[in-house]
Amino acid sequence: MAKSASAPVAPAADFEHSLDELEQLVARMEGGELSLDESLSSFERGIGLYRHCQQALENAELRVRMLLDPDAPDTAEPFEPEL
């Protein structure tokens, strides 16, 4: 069965797509061949992508903390395996 165009994208896939687009924007801007308007539009889009990626990373960190210590995620410490 084919995926619907309105089906939600997995958070990791959405993050990867946003990060890839951000990297492409940066490369184009660093190339120095964009007009001022194109540069401003690219910068604006890049800021939005950056914020989206940052939020995704914060959500992932929260999920990890919840898994490490569901009763007190703010005080969760990373798992250190015994040697």
Side-chain angles (χ1 to χ4, degrees), residues 5-67:
S6 62
V9 177
D14 189 37
F15 171 80
E16 292 294 332
H17 180 270
S18 294
L19 185 59
D20 184 52
E21 185 179 344
L22 181 57
E23 289 171 345
Q24 290 175 23
L25 276 173
V26 168
R28 287 183 60 215
M29 291 176 72
E30 288 178 340
E33 296 183 18
L34 298 176
S35 69
L36 179 59
D37 285 340
E38 290 171 325
S39 293
L40 288 172
S41 293
S42 293
F43 181 76
E44 184 176 15
R45 176 68 178 145
I47 292 295
L49 290 167
Y50 167 79
R51 289 180 180 155
H52 177 76
C53 288
Q54 188 65 34
Q55 183 64 48
L57 290 173
E58 289 172 6
N59 288 342
E61 181 181 8
L62 178 60
R63 287 180 63 194
V64 168
R65 288 181 178 275
M66 292 293 289
L67 290 169

